[in-house]
Amino acid sequence: MKLGIGTTQFGLDYGITNKQGQTQVEEVSKIFKTAELNCIEVIDTAHLYGNSEAIIGSVLSKDNKFKIITKTITFNKEEITLEDVNLFEKTFISSLEKLQTNSIYGLMLHRQQDLFSQNGDLLFKKLIELKNCNKVNKIGVSVYNSEEITQIINNFDIDIIQIPFNIFDQRLKNDETLKKLKSKNIEVHARSIFLQGVILMQSELVNKTFNDSQFDLHFSKFQAFLQDKNINAQDLAINFVKNIEEIDHFVLGLNNEEQLSSNINSYNQNIDIDLDELKIFHYNDINIIDPRKWTSKK
């Protein structure tokens, strides 16, 4: 199954549409049980997600079959030092301890720009070292756009990458970046497939959140399409990404088991989608499709 579990809400009160706050440990346990029953493979977490790693480690059984992926600390500095590299490794070992495991499936740089700081290649060498000593199976980066992807794959041999992708943000398909990644046998994971919940909003809330007349019009056309096809936004958003051949997995953030069950039901709908027909819903304004640009919050 391509559907995976994003765990930001397990450790933080996160998301523009999240009204429930941080997920309780008992609910996390229910989520993982449902995930196992439905053959979900991927769990995505990060050092920066509060106590998410520790909660995952406390809940999962030692013989679980999940592919756990975590992301590293960030540096955001001009020069990477040996002390930084040591901290990088120490923090990853701490992540393994929190997750209560000796190794995980994937480790990604949370901030790919760190590799392009002076001596940033030392971080990548450490990633390779961790892979060679079987602490991690696949190494890679989390990115935001095709420029970052091109910069990475032209300089580093990565195994896995995480990208933003959804029905309003089809940039990486339209410019054939996805095809380029697959030609290099890089495993592609998508995030933000609901655009942090915006795709599931009602028009009135979209207007209140963004106050952008052009996006209001675009969103109204999207909702009219849903009504005409008798499809709900969640089913379409999930099936859209599921049907992108180059995407291996996509992760969805969750607050509770009910949401996971609903997402699984949407995944299993097998809606007949014409991807070309949905190209019209790509939106070009980066201030809308990149949540880092948002100024309004919950």
Side-chain angles (χ1 to χ4, degrees), residues 106-119:
L107 177 62
M108 290 190 277
L109 268 293
H110 211 148
R111 183 179 183 274
Q112 67 91 29
Q113 294 95 325
D114 286 336
L115 291 176
F116 298 96
S117 300
Q118 185 176 344
N119 298 322

Side-chain angles (χ1 to χ4, degrees), residues 271-289:
I271 298 171
D272 185 18
I273 287 179
D274 182 346
L275 295 177
D276 287 335
E277 184 181 13
L278 298 178
K279 284 182 178 179
I280 62 171
F281 295 117
H282 172 68
Y283 197 68
N284 285 315
D285 188 347
I286 195 68
N287 292 309
I288 299 294
I289 62 175

Side-chain angles (χ1 to χ4, degrees), residues 256-274:
N256 53 59
E257 188 275 338
E258 183 179 357
Q259 288 177 354
L260 176 58
S261 294
S262 177
N263 290 334
I264 292 169
N265 182 63
S266 292
Y267 186 95
N268 291 330
Q269 290 298 312
N270 291 319
I271 298 171
D272 185 18
I273 287 179
D274 182 346

Side-chain angles (χ1 to χ4, degrees), residues 69-101:
I69 298 167
T70 195
K71 293 181 282 294
T72 65
I73 57 172
T74 63
F75 293 99
N76 194 23
K77 54 192 295 192
E78 293 184 1
E79 180 179 2
I80 300 298
T81 66
L82 289 176
E83 288 78 11
D84 293 330
V85 177
N86 290 334
L87 177 61
F88 180 86
E89 180 177 22
K90 182 179 179 181
T91 305
F92 172 65
I93 298 304
S94 174
S95 291
L96 292 182
E97 292 172 352
K98 292 174 183 177
L99 291 165
Q100 299 186 34
T101 185

